[in-house]
Amino acid sequence: MSSLDHFIQDLVVANRILAREDVVDAYGHVSVRNPDNPQHFFISRSLSPELVEREDIVELGLDGQSVRDEKRALYLERFIHAAIFEARPDIQAVVHAHAEDILPFGIAQATPLRPVIHSGSFIGSNVPVWDIAEKFGDTNLLVTNINQGRDLAKCLGANNVALMRGHGFASAGRSLIEVVRMSVYLPRNARALLRAKHLGGDIKYLSQGEIDARNRGYSPYSTETWRAWEYWANKAGCGHLVTRPGNAGSQHERESSRKP
Ligand SMILES: [Zn+2]
């Protein structure tokens, strides 16, 4: 198996993990930038993430169109990924999902979604809310063209996550494992915050210093992060697809080889 095949296999694993962890259901998707061509990215054809196999992965350009002659249907909202990859050269992987627990925070403006638990720190101290209606008026709320994607990417700015009013979220990471981890903990952080609100009183968010301290000790392929990836993959029934760190072609190997 080539190194690119290993890389794409990691994307299959990411699809299954996000499905098993209820971040995505029939809808929602994850993508990863082509490590050999940053102007392209990989994502599944239009298919529920739980069902994604290697053969379902397609390669798209930053305009959201397939770079090959592709007859199969593509995700309508692939422009979210295209526009974020275009706007953020530092980003290697993107998730878009409709996880229910985050939705109230895109609707109610009184309580911002910010980290309240240690594992939620990776979403960052600022989670902007994008409202498609502000620029595009009455739509079906889906991001169905590159202009809408670019407007969302602009709202995301340099942040890790943007909420999409009445719809879902988009998250952006420096690696596939990072964006999966962030997307799994984002709804958990939202649940903890919602429950704390029910208990009443003031909300104590993580301080900026605490968020910074978490990030300082963080490496996308540390033993701790890898432990989560292996755990989630096994739970999703695809532990046998996991490429262990140090194996040629794994995300870990690729990341390591990029370091000066
Ligand atoms: Zn959507």
Side-chain angles (χ1 to χ4, degrees):
M1 192 184 268
S2 76
S3 62
L4 194 59
D5 282 338
H6 278 290
F7 198 76
I8 290 172
Q9 188 160 283
D10 287 339
L11 181 57
V12 172
V13 172
N15 271 276
R16 308 283 189 83
I17 289 174
L18 291 169
R20 182 65 181 81
E21 298 299 318
D22 287 329
V23 179
V24 295
D25 48 20
Y27 304 99
H29 15 85
V30 53
S31 64
V32 66
R33 197 189 289 272
N34 183 337
D36 299 327
N37 180 355
Q39 301 300 308
H40 291 177
F41 65 95
F42 298 108
I43 191 168
S44 170
R45 68 183 173 92
S46 182
L47 187 68
S48 298
E50 187 175 342
L51 306 176
V52 168
E53 304 277 359
R54 169 69 185 83
E55 298 69 34
D56 300 308
I57 303 298
V58 295
E59 187 172 0
L60 307 185
L62 298 188
D63 57 356
Q65 304 304 335
S66 175
V67 300
R68 298 197 173 76
D69 184 24
E70 180 58 63
K71 299 280 189 291
R72 298 172 297 179
L74 302 175
Y75 288 131
L76 288 176
E77 295 196 285
R78 58 192 184 277
F79 302 101
I80 294 170
H81 304 258
I84 291 174
F85 285 129
E86 179 186 57
R88 294 277 303 275
D90 58 315
I91 288 306
Q92 304 302 323
V94 173
V95 166
H96 166 60
H98 310 139
E100 197 174 322
D101 293 305
I102 61 98
L103 294 177
F105 298 96
I107 302 165
Q109 295 173 0
T111 303
L113 181 57
R114 283 164 39 198
V116 286
I117 57 175
H118 79 295
S119 51
S121 61
F122 303 115
I123 69 175
S125 54
N126 181 41
V127 179
V129 178
W130 179 66
D131 185 353
I132 192 170
E134 279 184 18
K135 186 161 182 187
F136 300 98
D138 289 337
T139 65
N140 64 1
L141 290 156
L142 304 182
V143 178
T144 54
N145 62 57
I146 194 67
N147 287 336
Q148 291 171 341
R150 284 174 179 154
D151 197 51
L152 167 61
K154 192 172 159 193
C155 175
L156 174 70
N159 299 292
N160 297 338
V161 180
L163 301 183
M164 301 158 72
R165 192 267 304 167
H167 179 177
F169 74 88
S171 57
R174 294 165 295 170
S175 68
L176 198 49
I177 197 167
E178 180 176 285
V179 84
V180 166
R181 177 186 167 117
M182 197 190 305
S183 304
V184 167
Y185 285 121
L186 175 70
R188 290 189 194 180
N189 187 87
R191 279 198 292 278
L193 178 50
L194 275 175
R195 287 173 184 158
K197 287 286 284 182
H198 286 145
L199 293 176
D202 292 338
I203 296 297
K204 179 135 190 177
Y205 289 96
L206 262 60
S207 70
Q208 186 62 53
E210 287 171 330
I211 293 169
D212 293 343
R214 295 275 304 159
N215 282 329
R216 268 199 301 279
Y218 171 71
S219 155
Y221 295 98
S222 67
T223 304
E224 290 75 20
T225 309
W226 188 254
R227 193 167 92 193
W229 182 257
E230 269 190 325
Y231 165 73
W232 285 323
N234 275 287
K235 195 173 157 193
C238 56
H240 61 290
L241 297 180
V242 166
T243 310
R244 287 180 173 278
N247 287 2
S250 69
Q251 288 186 67
H252 175 272
E253 186 70 15
R254 283 176 174 275
E255 288 292 323
S256 302
S257 64
R258 277 196 203 125
K259 285 174 190 159

